[in-house]
Amino acid sequence: MRYFIECSYNGTHYAGWQRQPGDLTIQQTLEEAFSLILREEIEITGCGRTDAGVHAQQYFFHFDTEQEFTPELLYRFNKYLPEDIAVLAVYTAPDTASARFDAMQRTYQYYLKFTKDPLSPELALWYPYKDTLDLEAMRNVCSLLTQYKAFKSFCKEGSDTKHYLCDVFEAQWIDKGNEAIFTISANRFLRGMVRLIVGTCLQVGRGKLNISEVKFALDDQTPMPRAESAPAHGLHLMNVEYPSGFLKKIV
């Protein structure tokens, strides 16, 4: 039986989602917990890779087992897992379903805090210089994103991707007074893409980069001039969508 697990995590203390030799990761922590509690070797496949320090309010992974899931089993998983990882729900799916390749849309948000927040410093980027930011110029970058299909300019060097095509459905900055939130939705994202986009928006907002330079890089598919990647801790994977009826919730 193929199961999809919905979870969430605070990525502060992890070297990202994917297993890495010598580093603690979300994937490793979940595989060890599920293998121990189910008493069999469990290997999981995630809906994507998040970098070290990036958080997920909704994340899906899949694996196969013949065991049946109960609410009590869900409780045991959460009791065993550390406080910064939570299992939210369990779904069944077709035997060939993939948490990664069957996802239709992913939505990320990036949080800027203009006032210091000592209660959650690892969940947003503290940027106490709102008066130096031109949010309207940053919104102009967002308007550009939905006009393009290829995004090599926003791909981290060393990526093993086979192509740079992405369908960006939405990109916007919302000013909420003491904070600004960047939201972007697409069918897929390249390695480091969202953080590079946020970094570019901040460069434009500070007047260190102009919109014509951003457009030129996207037109030519060349690296963004003075490329800057926003710190990981402000980034959250918010939502992952699958086809209607694809997943059936059981717990």
Side-chain angles (χ1 to χ4, degrees), residues 216-227:
F216 181 85
L218 286 168
D219 286 338
D220 281 18
Q221 291 296 289
T222 54
M224 200 61 58
R226 299 178 294 284

Side-chain angles (χ1 to χ4, degrees), residues 130-163:
K130 183 179 182 181
D131 291 343
T132 70
L133 275 184
D134 184 344
L135 280 168
E136 195 56 41
M138 293 163 66
R139 292 188 179 105
N140 290 337
V141 177
C142 294
S143 297
L144 271 183
L145 297 176
T146 55
Q147 300 175 32
Y148 288 84
K149 293 293 185 181
F151 293 92
K152 187 177 181 180
S153 304
F154 291 121
C155 185
K156 187 176 180 180
E157 290 186 7
S159 172
D160 59 356
T161 187
K162 295 180 180 179
H163 66 84

Side-chain angles (χ1 to χ4, degrees), residues 12-228:
T12 301
H13 303 296
Y14 299 90
W17 163 263
Q18 190 175 22
R19 268 189 180 268
Q20 300 178 43
D23 290 318
L24 181 64
T25 66
I26 304 292
Q27 182 181 16
Q28 173 192 337
T29 304
L30 285 164
E31 285 181 339
E32 290 177 351
F34 275 61
S35 296
L36 178 68
I37 292 173
L38 295 178
R39 298 183 180 181
E40 62 176 292
E41 190 70 23
I42 297 295
E43 294 184 2
I44 64 180
T45 299
C47 61
R49 303 174 186 177
T50 55
D51 293 338
V54 173
H55 317 292
Q57 297 196 31
Q58 184 183 58
Y59 189 98
F60 286 91
F61 62 89
H62 78 254
F63 68 94
D64 296 327
T65 182
E66 295 306 313
Q67 300 192 45
E68 294 185 5
F69 278 81
T70 63
E72 190 273 336
L73 197 58
L74 191 67
Y75 167 78
R76 289 177 60 195
F77 285 133
N78 279 318
K79 186 176 180 180
Y80 180 82
L81 286 165
E83 290 184 349
D84 49 12
I85 301 177
V87 174
L88 306 177
V90 181
Y91 304 80
T92 57
D95 291 341
T96 58
S98 169
R100 179 182 177 187
F101 295 111
D102 286 315
M104 299 174 61
Q105 180 172 312
R106 299 163 173 85
T107 299
Y108 281 91
Q109 288 188 333
Y110 195 94
Y111 290 82
L112 286 183
K113 291 277 190 179
F114 299 124
T115 56
K116 191 173 183 179
D117 181 3
L119 298 181
S120 55
E122 76 280 2
L123 299 179
L125 174 63
W126 177 39
Y127 189 86
Y129 312 108
K130 183 179 182 181
D131 291 343
T132 70
L133 275 184
D134 184 344
L135 280 168
E136 195 56 41
M138 293 163 66
R139 292 188 179 105
N140 290 337
V141 177
C142 294
S143 297
L144 271 183
L145 297 176
T146 55
Q147 300 175 32
Y148 288 84
K149 293 293 185 181
F151 293 92
K152 187 177 181 180
S153 304
F154 291 121
C155 185
K156 187 176 180 180
E157 290 186 7
S159 172
D160 59 356
T161 187
K162 295 180 180 179
H163 66 84
Y164 300 96
L165 300 178
C166 305
D167 291 327
V168 176
F169 308 123
E170 172 195 17
Q172 64 174 329
W173 279 99
I174 297 177
D175 183 1
K176 291 198 168 185
N178 288 331
E179 67 177 356
I181 301 173
F182 174 67
T183 302
I184 185 168
S185 299
N187 65 327
R188 68 189 289 263
F189 289 94
L190 305 174
R191 184 182 178 193
M193 180 174 171
V194 181
R195 291 170 59 196
L196 283 167
I197 289 174
V198 173
T200 296
C201 286
L202 290 174
Q203 291 278 67
V204 171
R206 294 195 299 258
K208 295 184 177 182
L209 195 65
N210 62 59
I211 197 71
S212 62
E213 291 176 292
V214 177
K215 188 176 188 305
F216 181 85
L218 286 168
D219 286 338
D220 281 18
Q221 291 296 289
T222 54
M224 200 61 58
R226 299 178 294 284
E228 182 178 286

